[in-house]
Amino acid sequence: MDKVMASAAEAVADIPEGASPAVGGFGLCGIPTVLIDALHAQGAGGLRVVSNNCGVDGQGLGVLLAAGRIARVAGSYVGENKEFARQYLAGELEVELTPQGTLAERLRAGGTGIPSFYTPAGVGTQVADSGLPWRYDPDGSVAVASPPKETRTGFVHEFRQQMYASPRSAWTAACSMFMRSDSGREAAGRAVASAGRGLRHGHGLVANQTVTAAVAVSATLSVIRRSSPVR
C-alpha cells in the first residue's frame, strides 16, 4: 500500500464529519500544524478529538475549536485557551479530562488491540468514582458527568481509545518523500537523537507509560515541518 501523499490536503481529504482524530504533540511542540490547517480548510466538523491539549487561541487545535468544528475533547491539559473555557462552560463542548499517562496508555492499547488495562492513576478521585463534568447545560448545571469505573486492589479499569486516524501519522506519510533526501534524514536524525537524550534523563515524561515513540516522532516532525515541501 502506497502511503505517500502529495499534499496535506490529500492526507486529510477522507476524514469525515464526526471523526475521532488523535492529534499528536505536547502543548504547541510537535503538533501537525499544516494538517490542522488542511483539516480546517477541508470542512469536517463535529470532531471528537483526542489530544494532550486543544491548542491555544488561534494556534494548533485552537483553530478548529474557534471555528466550532470540535464537539468533544479527551485530553489531559486544558489551560491557556480562553475560547476552550468559554465553550466548555457554555455547554458547547464536551470535555473528558484524563490523566496524561492514562491517555497515552489508552491510545497505545487502541493501536495494539488491547481492549482494556488497569492503572493506579485516578483511584480515589472523580476519575474513578464518577462526577467529573463532561458537559454543562447553558444554565450552568451539569448535563453529562463521568460514569463510575471498576476499581480493584488499588487499580482503576480503563478502556482503549479507538481513533479514526492520526494526523501525525498522515503527516509522516506526507513527509516521506522529504525524508528520503539527505537533508531530511539528517534533520530527523538530529531530532530523534535529541529526543533520545531527553528520554534517557527522564525529561517531561510520565512514569510507567509508553510514550517514547510518540516523543521521538513529535520531535522529528517539529524539525521536518519547518522545511517540508508540502508546507
Side-chain angles (χ1 to χ4, degrees), residues 173-187:
C175 287
S176 59
M177 293 183 70
F178 171 76
M179 287 288 286
R180 294 194 189 105
S181 69
D182 291 340
S183 59
R185 285 193 293 271
E186 182 180 349

Side-chain angles (χ1 to χ4, degrees), residues 43-224:
L47 300 173
R48 302 171 66 83
V49 172
V50 176
S51 184
N52 165 261
N53 64 91
C54 202
V56 299
D57 295 295
Q59 296 185 61
L61 286 172
V63 173
L64 293 173
L65 186 72
R69 306 275 281 282
I70 297 178
R72 189 179 196 276
V73 175
S76 59
Y77 179 71
V78 296
E80 301 178 65
N81 192 322
K82 293 180 180 179
E83 179 60 15
F84 185 102
R86 188 200 67 76
Q87 290 189 23
Y88 176 50
L89 295 175
E92 300 171 12
L93 180 69
E94 187 169 301
V95 178
E96 181 183 357
L97 278 174
T98 306
Q100 186 165 308
T102 300
L103 184 68
E105 188 65 8
R106 283 170 62 177
L107 287 164
R108 188 189 75 87
T112 55
I114 298 171
S116 63
F117 58 93
Y118 285 90
T119 174
V123 172
T125 73
Q126 287 180 302
V127 169
D129 298 339
S130 77
L132 279 175
W134 280 3
R135 179 185 288 275
Y136 284 101
D137 269 325
D139 65 7
S141 61
V142 177
V144 181
S146 63
K149 298 176 181 177
E150 177 197 0
T151 58
R152 58 173 70 181
T153 61
F155 293 86
V156 60
H157 191 196
E158 295 281 358
F159 289 88
R160 64 183 177 182
Q161 191 82 53
Q162 291 184 293
M163 311 310 305
Y164 167 76
S166 169
R168 185 170 57 197
S169 297
W171 179 262
T172 304
C175 287
S176 59
M177 293 183 70
F178 171 76
M179 287 288 286
R180 294 194 189 105
S181 69
D182 291 340
S183 59
R185 285 193 293 271
E186 182 180 349
R190 287 197 305 270
V192 171
S194 176
R197 287 193 295 273
L199 292 170
R200 285 195 295 274
H201 294 290
H203 297 323
L205 297 184
V206 181
N208 301 319
Q209 299 296 343
T210 306
V211 295
T212 302
V215 172
V217 171
S218 290
T220 303
L221 297 184
S222 67
V223 174
I224 293 170

Side-chain angles (χ1 to χ4, degrees), residues 4-8 10-11 174 177 230:
V4 176
M5 305 291 180
S7 67
E10 183 181 346
M177 293 183 70
V230 301

